[in-house]
Amino acid sequence: MLALGGLLFALLVLELLLRLMPVSTATLSGYYFDPDILSYPAGHRWTVSTGWDLRNAQSLRSNNFGFVADKDFVPDPGAVALVGDSFVESSMLDAPLRPAGQLQALLGPKRPVYAFGSPGTALLDYAQRVRFASQKLGVRDFVIWLERGDAVQALCGSGNVHSRCLDPVSLEPRTERFPEPSWLKRLARHSALAQYIAGQLKFRAGPFLRAMFTRNTPDASDSKPASASMRERDAANETAQRGRRVVDAVLERFFEAAGPYLVGRTIFIVDDYRGAAPRDPKEAFFQRQYLIDSLRARQVEVIDLAPVYRQHKAASPLSLEVGPYDGHLNSLGVHLVMEQVAGRLR
């Protein structure tokens, strides 16, 4: 009994201490304004930070349509909608240094910039935000920021889908929405200790338990027979062909959904590595260059960021990333990208 009381007292002390620190708080995300768009409640305030030591702490506020922005969205056909995932939201940066803030500064006050950024999304989710911005706000000009894998991540079950996606086998369209949070999750949202464990430490009970009861054995030999190498090459070719089929199907569905609303200027930004390119086993599936070529074949403007990053690396030792713990762009990296966009929009 004394041990239980001591444990509860220690948890209470931790809870109170963490409430004094910039621990990430609940975003309360949900489908508030559109059944296909996951956003935050209007006027919601919350805190975000990175890692156990609470780096890059920011206090965020959602606007009248539930997006992270320092201003409300009002109908304006002259506005520019910046659509994407966490690269557009850039919650770890101060508001003036985020993509919308920097693009606004470059374009001037006569061209409002609306940031429709939502973490953990892919290309078919972007189409729904294009539709929303056009229908609700009369926006005609769009800048759509793609990561390398944003096309193939539109497959259902990828972990990067908020609503619209394609079946990973048949490539037929489906809808996958987030379920309503359980009572336990609703309760945990109000606990700083629970938020610290789940948000800062990224602790997940399921993978942890699986790892505890899974035995991994080292390979007997690093050498591979020639037949194995041939099988790997065949598998890589099959992966690349599969990736192209997925890119084709996703682009077809994207322009089917967003095409009627892309009536003004449309610019796609396609991201790439900023430093030394690490080996990514999914790269053949992502088909980044094929995505760029396919977009250009549809007569849309594309900004390929690979040469932009290479030019910077050749001229400057400064990093473009937030840090080794966070691959998002820092304020300098955002500025390089927004300069490219502003040059096109001018």
Side-chain angles (χ1 to χ4, degrees):
M1 199 65 181
L2 287 175
L4 178 60
L7 176 61
L8 292 176
F9 179 74
L11 292 176
L12 178 61
V13 170
L14 282 173
E15 176 72 26
L16 294 175
L17 284 175
L18 289 171
R19 284 179 180 269
L20 299 175
M21 300 178 185
V23 174
S24 296
T25 54
T27 63
L28 304 181
S29 57
Y31 299 91
Y32 296 101
F33 302 96
D34 188 279
D36 285 319
I37 296 176
L38 193 72
S39 66
Y40 312 110
H44 177 52
R45 292 186 180 275
W46 71 103
T47 300
V48 294
S49 55
T50 304
W52 67 270
D53 51 352
L54 310 177
R55 288 163 289 192
N56 304 316
Q58 293 286 341
S59 178
L60 303 180
R61 177 190 176 276
S62 58
N63 69 359
N64 59 330
F65 281 108
F67 289 93
V68 174
D70 56 357
K71 60 186 175 186
D72 285 346
F73 297 160
V74 296
D76 189 340
V80 177
L82 182 57
V83 180
D85 60 3
S86 54
F87 277 81
V88 169
E89 187 177 89
S90 290
S91 60
M92 74 295 296
L93 301 177
D94 293 337
L97 302 178
R98 296 172 197 150
Q102 295 209 40
L103 183 57
Q104 182 73 78
L106 290 166
L107 294 179
K110 293 184 178 180
R111 295 295 306 274
V113 179
Y114 297 161
F116 287 88
S118 190
T121 48
L123 193 51
L124 295 186
D125 285 327
Y126 302 162
Q128 296 306 308
R129 270 172 266 158
V130 168
R131 169 189 57 78
F132 184 84
S134 175
Q135 290 178 338
K136 298 290 186 181
L137 304 167
V139 175
R140 299 169 56 86
D141 295 341
F142 292 89
V143 177
I144 302 171
W145 192 336
L146 305 183
E147 291 190 68
R148 302 187 317 280
D150 265 354
V152 300
Q153 286 171 357
L155 294 177
C156 303
S158 71
N160 292 277
V161 170
H162 285 180
S163 63
R164 304 298 179 90
C165 57
L166 298 187
D167 184 276
V169 177
S170 67
L171 300 183
E172 288 300 310
R174 280 188 5 212
T175 300
E176 277 189 0
R177 297 188 180 94
F178 281 30
E180 286 291 321
S182 65
W183 68 269
L184 183 60
K185 186 172 182 179
R186 287 195 184 98
L187 184 64
R189 282 173 165 179
H190 301 285
S191 167
L193 178 58
Q195 291 288 338
Y196 183 80
I197 292 172
Q200 312 300 146
L201 303 182
K202 305 295 184 186
F203 176 78
R204 300 292 183 268
F208 176 75
L209 292 173
R210 284 195 296 271
M212 284 185 63
F213 296 103
T214 301
R215 181 170 179 263
N216 295 315
T217 57
D219 293 333
S221 173
D222 291 334
S223 61
K224 296 180 181 178
S227 59
S229 299
M230 290 180 63
R231 285 197 299 272
E232 286 183 355
R233 284 196 297 270
D234 291 341
N237 290 333
E238 185 177 339
T239 298
Q241 292 300 319
R242 165 71 174 166
R244 292 188 175 197
R245 289 194 297 272
V246 172
V247 168
D248 289 338
V250 169
L251 286 180
E252 186 68 28
R253 295 296 178 181
F254 172 85
F255 283 102
E256 180 181 289
Y261 309 103
L262 300 175
V263 295
R265 193 81 175 272
T266 302
I267 299 173
F268 285 85
I269 312 169
V270 183
D271 206 70
D272 197 23
Y273 294 112
R274 268 75 69 185
R279 183 178 180 274
D280 190 335
K282 295 181 180 178
E283 201 63 48
F285 189 44
F286 285 165
Q287 287 295 303
R288 178 184 181 276
Q289 189 58 51
Y290 183 76
L291 171 62
I292 292 174
D293 294 341
S294 299
L295 286 168
R296 286 175 173 159
R298 291 175 176 269
Q299 307 301 311
V300 296
E301 292 183 77
V302 179
I303 298 176
D304 181 359
L305 292 180
V308 178
Y309 294 149
R310 284 198 301 268
Q311 184 178 0
H312 169 81
K313 187 178 179 183
S316 172
L318 296 177
S319 172
L320 298 178
E321 296 184 345
V322 173
Y325 56 88
D326 188 339
H328 290 89
L329 291 173
N330 59 25
S331 59
L332 175 59
V334 170
H335 186 70
L336 287 180
V337 176
M338 292 303 105
E339 275 188 325
Q340 296 292 317
V341 175
R344 299 289 186 96
L345 289 174
R346 292 196 193 105

